[in-house]
Amino acid sequence: MASSVKKPWGGRFREDTDRLVEEFTESVSFDQRLALHDLRQDLAHLEALKRAGVVTEEEAERIARGLSEIEAEIREGRFVFRAELEDVHMNIEAALREKIGPLAGKLHTGRSRNDQVATDFRLYLRDEIREILRLLHDLRRALVEKAREGLEIILPGFTHLQHAQPVLLAHHLLAYYEMFRRDADRFQDTLRRTAECPLGSAALAGTPYPLDRELTARLLGFERPSRNSMDAVSDRDFVLEFLFDAAVTMMHLSRLAEEIVLWMSPEFGFVDLPDALCTGSSIMPQKKNPDVAELLRGKCGRVYGNLLALLTVMKGLPLTYNRDLQEDKEPAFDTADTLRASLKVAALLVRGLSPRAERMRAAAEEGHPTATDLADYLVMKGLPFREAHEVTGRIVAFAEERGLKLWKIPLEDLRRFSDLIEEDVYEWLSVEGSVARRRTYGGTAPERVREALAQAEEELSAEELP
Ligand code: ARG
């Protein structure tokens, strides 16, 4: 079976393309998402062609009119993309020819689909990054709002998922704020590095037409033209960077999601979520499950996979353009869709969290969370830290045997382990005292956390989104 549609590249071909080959090589089923970016690029390129004298003023106007009709059809969903025309670029070119005749063919002067697709894809990813930065901003806002509510709430901080030291809920939530702040920063960096425009590189070597590449770069919102035409048509590290930034962000979302799942279990019972953000079981009537958080965790997998998929595609590709590069799009589209959706529901979850302060506070007393404070107390009384650690360990074992909390052990019992211990030890053993003493910059003491919160709030209101 063969297709008889005339291909823009068909001049040297004596046979029609095999149907299977057409199906195998087409990309329009997914790259049609680049259609509006392709049209933006067409207009910029048209301007450069006009200034280079390749098309007249009047021709440029006819081409621009044709393009704007096509744009309206695409926006209104009336445009019919045809797989026989391979990709979005040739679909638009063919549609233009139907509207304005052979003049349409002038638009591809001095341009190849190789620099065209590299330019479209940068334009597309730059738009996605801007949207992702807005969503990251909103998620950070949600965390800061929730942290404000958690300024007085104490919960156990964990290491190895064992109770370690008490911390403020606000401090715990602001830890995620920091992760998402760095994620935003990484996307901003990627935005800076994608600011180079490949258009004018043509197939790989540049073009003989005097195209003003500074002009087209500027018209398309880039900062400058790319410096090497061979690099420009074959580099995809900007996509890889996007995929990496997204993978790290998803990893952070997944960790947050995992904590929400844990915290919602009856064993923890640290938080509750509104019904609207949970789902049920088709068999067990009592169930209210944190499926949204689980899916956030689960979707991390495909985003990692997309990064690895493209890294693997790129490895070993000789310069310059190879058709393998067409495999860059689906992983990036899937990652952008997944990340956008995940950031939106994550903000919803964070805003929906109801902390159960009394449960957290009770848990913060379990597992001798102020043992480090007792060791610090002994250090303050002159014992070297290693010895203090040893003595405290023995006191903890004693407490375990008797089923006592450290602050419930009578003074005379404590003094049997060290005569440095006096009445004032009990201040050191309280959970509140432990939190309050951690006053180093970045620590969980209430005044430090209030400062951190104020700083985060200030940062958010000063943040200029691109
Ligand atoms: N659809 C291709 C891609 O996404 C662009 C076309 C370049 N094709 C070519 N034969 N040079 O990479």
Side-chain angles (χ1 to χ4, degrees), residues 27 31 86-87 89 113-114 117 321 323 325-326 329:
S27 55
D31 69 14
E86 207 173 296
D87 57 23
H89 323 290
R113 280 181 296 154
N114 299 351
V117 74
Y321 181 87
R323 192 61 175 270
L325 291 174
Q326 182 168 292
K329 282 169 209 68

Side-chain angles (χ1 to χ4, degrees), residues 174-357:
L174 288 177
Y176 284 100
Y177 175 90
E178 292 300 315
M179 298 177 222
F180 295 121
R181 179 178 65 81
R182 288 192 299 275
D183 291 338
D185 207 47
R186 260 186 290 274
F187 276 111
Q188 293 272 16
D189 270 349
T190 302
L191 203 54
R192 269 190 289 283
R193 261 188 299 279
T194 52
E196 301 192 343
C197 182
L199 189 59
S201 302
L204 74 159
T207 164
Y209 303 95
L211 299 178
D212 183 347
R213 296 194 59 213
E214 292 282 348
L215 170 80
T216 46
R218 218 172 41 249
L219 287 175
L220 291 171
F222 291 102
E223 273 162 32
R224 63 196 91 85
S226 55
R227 302 196 322 183
N228 180 300
S229 61
M230 296 179 76
D231 173 49
V233 296
S234 66
D235 141 58
R236 291 294 180 275
D237 45 294
F238 66 99
V239 191
L240 288 170
E241 251 190 82
F242 172 79
L243 294 176
F244 174 77
D245 297 349
V248 176
T249 307
M250 282 304 292
M251 178 270 291
H252 289 148
L253 287 172
S254 175
R255 294 185 74 177
L256 174 62
E258 167 65 6
E259 297 215 291
I260 292 174
V261 172
L262 279 176
W263 286 7
M264 235 189 98
S265 75
E267 282 69 24
F268 277 79
F270 283 5
V271 291
D272 205 359
L273 279 173
D275 285 359
L277 302 186
C278 293
T279 54
S281 156
S282 58
I283 177 167
M284 295 170 283
Q286 83 282 15
K287 297 282 275 175
K288 176 175 163 186
N289 294 327
D291 294 36
V292 176
E294 291 170 295
L295 274 170
L296 271 179
R297 194 176 57 187
K299 282 178 188 295
C300 192
R302 64 202 287 161
V303 172
Y304 284 7
N306 289 336
L307 169 62
L308 209 64
L310 187 61
L311 275 171
T312 313
V313 167
M314 296 304 295
K315 123 178 227 310
L317 286 187
L319 293 183
T320 54
Y321 181 87
N322 302 274
R323 192 61 175 270
D324 316 45
L325 291 174
Q326 182 168 292
E327 287 293 308
D328 61 353
K329 282 169 209 68
E330 286 162 294
F333 291 151
D334 182 65
T335 287
D337 292 344
T338 306
L339 183 58
R340 265 187 278 101
S342 300
L343 287 168
K344 282 184 206 163
V345 297
L348 203 60
L349 280 188
V350 169
R351 291 199 165 95
L353 284 178
S354 314
R356 298 175 63 190

